Amino acid sequence: MSRVWNFSAGPAALPEEVLRQAADEMLDWQGSGMGVMEMSHRGKEFTSIAVQAEADLRELLAVPADYRILFMQGGAIAANAIIPMNLIGGKRVADYVVTGAWSQKSQKEARKYAEVNIAATSEASDFTTVPPMADWKLSADPAYLFTCTNETISGVEYPFEPDLARIGRGEVPVVADMSSHILSRVIDVSKYGLIFGGAQKNIGPAGLTIVIVREDLLGRAMPHCPAAFDFRIVAENASMYNTPPTYGIYIAGLVFQWIKRQGGVAALEARNVAKAKLLYGFLDGSGFYENRVDPACRSRMNVPFFLKDESLNDAFLAESKAAGLTQLKGHKSVGGMRASIYNAMPLAGVQALVDFMRDFAARKA
Amino acid sequence: MSRVWNFSAGPAALPEEVLRQAADEMLDWQGSGMGVMEMSHRGKEFTSIAVQAEADLRELLAVPADYRILFMQGGAIAANAIIPMNLIGGKRVADYVVTGAWSQKSQKEARKYAEVNIAATSEASDFTTVPPMADWKLSADPAYLFTCTNETISGVEYPFEPDLARIGRGEVPVVADMSSHILSRVIDVSKYGLIFGGAQKNIGPAGLTIVIVREDLLGRAMPHCPAAFDFRIVAENASMYNTPPTYGIYIAGLVFQWIKRQGGVAALEARNVAKAKLLYGFLDGSGFYENRVDPACRSRMNVPFFLKDESLNDAFLAESKAAGLTQLKGHKSVGGMRASIYNAMPLAGVQALVDFMRDFAARKA
């Protein structure tokens, strides 16, 4: 077996330790005589797995006691509908900050359920920056303000937490799609009304959605909201109103334990800063490659880059793959290349990429 | 490692061959250098897995060319909302046949989206039978007629296919929740408008929902239907409008290949008939245990039973568990015991259960 350096934007590389443990336990979890996939979600074995996963996530993100953690399904695309269905309540308008393809998609879907006010957008810059909070134009009484704090496709990450108290609107709950950078940096959960993310980038397998929601936002669902996606019902049933994606929760739990062994989120953040510094530093100094994102808003997780001579793209992809560096092709809407360097990508993987890129440039320049 | 005989109603036992292959490939799928959980859903590796899984399921159930197979999320409970949202179209009423807890839950959820007509119900018999089609009272112009063709909780299975042409109403599409018996018996897909099932009973891990839908039923979704759950959008995007539960699709695909190696659905049906005959035959002849379901409608998959002396329940559960026979406790709404004997449970497992039960009865009678 030879593992590659996998730069997929998601589903993405997982820590080898996690995969080894999952393989070892596939037919027999801790002497139970069953694999995790085969367990009743209501049995004591799986209940202990789910309870531990939730407790570990709560510890890792220092989630306050008045927030509920929900394990759901559908990913961020389903959440784009589920969130307005749950949070519009008696209000008319929801505010959206649009910083890339994901928040753009979110606001479009929300229009099925509410009037949408675009509080700010960086579309004019081709989604290469995040508009400063001082320029956000909130509506008078929005149900919530939606943000996507890391845009996977354009590689833009908020360099600040969207704490609306700083612009005198602390009463408006902030919703944040953190799919592609949750657990990669220290955050203050208390600044948000709701945080969500598909697991398939920084946590675990596709098919699991993590929702962290302040309790006072429960119980506002529209009559048309499916019961399985009503946050209040999911919370009251400890994420077991419908059968949850049990294996995904188990893998996520193993990832949470792995993060704790690494020293927690702060330790991973330091590692992520070092990885990003190495890669962006190389790109900027290369003369051969470039990243086009506002340096203040560059994502530590998703690094899109271009060869200045794009006629070399195919050669770059073929040769990098041959060197064991895979899934580097950029998103079709952006072009070029993209290296996603989530928590599970070690510095050694980024170093291998930089070494290859330096060599490729030297050979082709 | 010592495996138990696992009678869980779901998530449920999987074939050992499937689990062994999954464990072997966890870090490196077929020389790709990645595990399946780590693959982009749009890459050629995962695409080949999904295409093969769909083709194998199509072959196993002889799905006609004008039906689409969708891999979705949310399980049957989410489907209870997603189906009316997709199929009501311009109509006002949906018909439901209620034969147990699951179809009861389905019709309640549907009332959010449509007027519901209960075409038939076996509630008066405490859900121990299936009303004959001759007694079904369809409404004048329903969008569809909903059935749950195997009720996991009460252990009731349709002894016939709900082919409405037999009562002169062939124009009404039949929807069937087959979560707990799909692939356990030969069916004629062409008699249905839509077949669906959560995977976690007879197919694979929780978090994957299989939908088989006739193409003319696509494109009718309500304006409030989330895009991720609009059958037309899911079909047009080959189940990749949102990131699908990739690992679940992979495991399902391994199960489909396992079924093919067993000789297909007909071969499994013969095995399931033999398993059910053994267990029901023993129950009926025991004098110590009983099954209370109409003999014509007994499920081959889920066998609820009672000890005539219920004061022995705790001893039965403790001693069966000690003998390596697990998850036999009945659903709380029914009480007693339940043995779920899906495709992955071999005759040897049922024989082990019967041997234990005979011995237990001899010792306690």
Side-chain angles (χ1 to χ4, degrees):
Chain A
M1 187 197 71
S2 168
R3 297 263 297 168
V4 296
W5 294 118
N6 173 3
F7 296 95
S8 173
L14 288 167
E16 274 194 31
E17 284 171 53
V18 164
L19 295 174
R20 284 186 203 286
Q21 183 171 348
D24 286 347
E25 297 180 335
M26 183 64 80
L27 282 93
D28 184 13
W29 181 80
Q30 304 196 0
S32 66
M34 304 180 275
V36 175
M37 262 184 268
E38 305 176 291
M39 292 175 182
S40 167
H41 54 301
R42 302 199 186 280
K44 70 177 170 49
E45 295 87 355
F46 185 73
T47 302
S48 75
I49 290 171
V51 165
Q52 188 65 48
E54 185 189 325
D56 286 340
L57 180 57
R58 191 172 285 277
E59 179 186 332
L60 285 169
L61 289 177
V63 177
D66 61 331
Y67 285 70
R68 301 295 295 263
I69 295 176
L70 312 180
F71 295 123
M72 298 183 64
Q73 300 183 48
I77 291 182
N80 287 338
I82 293 167
I83 285 168
M85 279 185 152
N86 271 279
L87 298 189
I88 283 296
K91 310 235 175 177
R92 193 174 50 85
V93 183
D95 286 354
Y96 279 71
V97 177
V98 179
T99 51
W102 283 102
S103 42
Q104 188 75 287
K105 200 167 189 133
S106 300
Q107 64 89 6
K108 283 183 183 163
E109 181 80 354
R111 288 173 195 270
K112 292 179 183 172
Y113 311 100
E115 194 175 308
V116 166
N117 168 54
I118 304 298
T121 175
S122 59
E123 191 164 11
S125 80
D126 225 5
F127 298 129
T128 57
T129 188
V130 176
M133 284 183 71
D135 295 344
W136 293 8
K137 293 192 171 34
L138 274 64
S139 56
D141 186 28
Y144 58 86
L145 177 129
F146 185 102
T147 60
C148 175
T149 47
N150 187 71
E151 289 276 359
T152 322
I153 292 177
S154 48
V156 167
E157 184 168 9
Y158 276 51
F160 53 83
E161 287 199 88
D163 174 8
L164 293 180
R166 290 198 285 118
I167 55 170
R169 296 300 301 273
E171 85 284 4
V172 177
V174 175
V175 172
D177 176 355
M178 296 195 182
S179 295
S180 51
H181 74 158
I182 192 167
L183 291 165
S184 74
R185 61 192 303 155
V186 175
I187 56 167
D188 181 350
V189 173
S190 74
K191 303 301 186 198
Y192 302 85
L194 186 149
I195 291 167
F196 72 101
Q200 69 270 18
K201 294 162 191 295
N202 235 344
I203 294 180
L208 170 65
T209 314
I210 307 281
V211 175
I212 303 170
V213 57
R214 214 173 58 210
E215 280 176 347
D216 66 290
L217 297 173
L218 301 173
R220 303 181 181 191
M222 300 173 60
H224 273 60
C225 182
F229 301 123
D230 179 327
F231 294 147
R232 181 186 60 77
I233 292 175
V234 177
E236 285 176 357
N237 289 278
S239 300
M240 298 207 188
Y241 179 72
N242 58 350
T243 309
T246 51
Y247 201 71
I249 293 171
Y250 160 70
I251 297 289
L254 296 184
V255 171
F256 300 152
Q257 288 171 22
W258 174 82
I259 296 175
K260 288 172 74 172
R261 290 196 300 275
Q262 308 307 301
V265 175
L268 284 182
E269 178 167 6
R271 196 184 292 178
N272 289 328
V273 167
K275 284 152 54 185
K277 193 172 167 187
L278 171 61
L279 184 49
Y280 285 112
F282 168 74
L283 287 168
D284 289 344
S286 71
F288 189 86
Y289 307 95
E290 62 175 335
N291 169 277
R292 298 173 185 166
V293 174
D294 173 0
C297 303
R298 286 169 162 179
S299 170
R300 295 173 185 163
M301 297 287 103
N302 310 101
V303 184
F305 62 90
F306 299 87
L307 280 66
K308 289 189 177 174
D309 177 359
E310 295 216 274
S311 72
L312 294 170
N313 281 359
D314 289 346
F316 181 88
L317 286 168
E319 294 183 29
S320 57
K321 185 166 183 191
L325 306 158
T326 70
Q327 312 213 47
L328 281 165
K329 190 170 184 182
H331 190 274
K332 62 182 186 291
S333 67
V334 172
M337 309 296 154
R338 176 175 51 173
S340 293
I341 51 174
Y342 298 119
N343 281 345
M345 175 64 66
L347 186 64
V350 180
Q351 187 64 58
L353 174 62
V354 166
D355 290 346
F356 167 81
M357 288 171 72
R358 183 179 290 116
D359 176 67
F360 183 87
R363 286 186 287 110
K364 308 286 178 176
Chain B
M1 187 197 71
S2 168
R3 297 264 296 167
V4 295
W5 294 119
N6 173 3
F7 296 94
S8 174
L14 289 166
E16 274 194 33
E17 284 172 54
V18 165
L19 296 174
R20 284 186 202 286
Q21 183 171 349
D24 287 348
E25 297 181 336
M26 182 65 79
L27 282 94
D28 184 12
W29 181 80
Q30 303 194 1
S32 65
M34 304 180 274
V36 174
M37 262 184 268
E38 306 176 292
M39 293 175 180
S40 168
H41 54 300
R42 303 199 186 280
K44 71 175 169 48
E45 294 88 355
F46 185 74
T47 302
S48 75
I49 290 171
V51 165
Q52 188 65 47
E54 184 188 325
D56 286 339
L57 180 57
R58 191 173 286 277
E59 179 185 331
L60 285 169
L61 289 177
V63 177
D66 60 332
Y67 285 70
R68 301 295 295 264
I69 294 176
L70 312 179
F71 295 124
M72 299 184 63
Q73 299 183 49
I77 292 182
N80 286 338
I82 293 167
I83 285 168
M85 278 185 154
N86 271 279
L87 298 190
I88 283 295
K91 310 236 174 175
R92 193 174 49 85
V93 182
D95 286 354
Y96 278 71
V97 177
V98 178
T99 50
W102 284 102
S103 42
Q104 188 74 287
K105 202 168 189 133
S106 301
Q107 65 88 7
K108 282 184 183 164
E109 182 79 354
R111 288 172 195 270
K112 292 179 182 172
Y113 311 100
E115 195 174 308
V116 166
N117 168 54
I118 305 297
T121 175
S122 59
E123 192 165 9
S125 80
D126 224 6
F127 298 129
T128 57
T129 189
V130 176
M133 284 183 72
D135 296 343
W136 295 6
K137 295 190 171 35
L138 274 64
S139 56
D141 187 28
Y144 58 86
L145 177 129
F146 185 102
T147 59
C148 175
T149 47
N150 187 71
E151 290 276 359
T152 323
I153 292 178
S154 48
V156 166
E157 185 169 10
Y158 277 50
F160 53 84
E161 287 199 88
D163 174 9
L164 293 180
R166 290 198 284 118
I167 55 170
R169 296 300 300 274
E171 84 283 4
V172 177
V174 175
V175 172
D177 176 355
M178 295 194 183
S179 294
S180 51
H181 75 156
I182 192 167
L183 291 165
S184 74
R185 61 192 304 155
V186 175
I187 56 167
D188 181 350
V189 173
S190 74
K191 302 301 186 197
Y192 302 85
L194 186 149
I195 291 167
F196 72 100
Q200 69 269 20
K201 295 162 191 295
N202 235 344
I203 295 180
L208 170 65
T209 314
I210 306 281
V211 175
I212 303 170
V213 56
R214 213 173 59 209
E215 280 175 347
D216 67 290
L217 297 173
L218 302 173
R220 303 181 182 191
M222 300 173 60
H224 273 60
C225 182
F229 301 123
D230 179 328
F231 293 147
R232 181 187 59 78
I233 292 175
V234 177
E236 285 176 358
N237 289 277
S239 300
M240 298 207 189
Y241 178 73
N242 57 351
T243 309
T246 51
Y247 200 71
I249 293 171
Y250 160 69
I251 297 288
L254 296 184
V255 170
F256 300 151
Q257 287 171 24
W258 174 82
I259 296 175
K260 288 171 75 173
R261 290 196 300 276
Q262 308 306 302
V265 175
L268 285 182
E269 178 168 6
R271 196 184 293 178
N272 289 328
V273 167
K275 284 152 55 184
K277 192 172 167 187
L278 172 61
L279 184 48
Y280 285 112
F282 169 73
L283 287 168
D284 289 344
S286 72
F288 190 86
Y289 308 95
E290 62 176 333
N291 169 276
R292 298 174 186 166
V293 175
D294 173 1
C297 303
R298 286 169 162 180
S299 170
R300 294 174 186 163
M301 297 286 104
N302 309 101
V303 184
F305 62 90
F306 299 86
L307 279 65
K308 289 189 177 175
D309 177 359
E310 295 217 272
S311 72
L312 295 170
N313 280 0
D314 290 347
F316 182 89
L317 286 168
E319 294 183 28
S320 58
K321 185 167 183 192
L325 306 158
T326 70
Q327 311 213 46
L328 281 165
K329 191 171 182 179
H331 190 274
K332 61 181 185 295
S333 67
V334 173
M337 309 295 152
R338 177 175 51 173
S340 293
I341 51 175
Y342 299 119
N343 281 344
M345 175 64 65
L347 185 64
V350 180
Q351 187 63 58
L353 174 61
V354 166
D355 291 346
F356 167 81
M357 288 170 72
R358 183 179 290 117
D359 176 66
F360 183 86
R363 286 185 288 110
K364 308 285 179 179

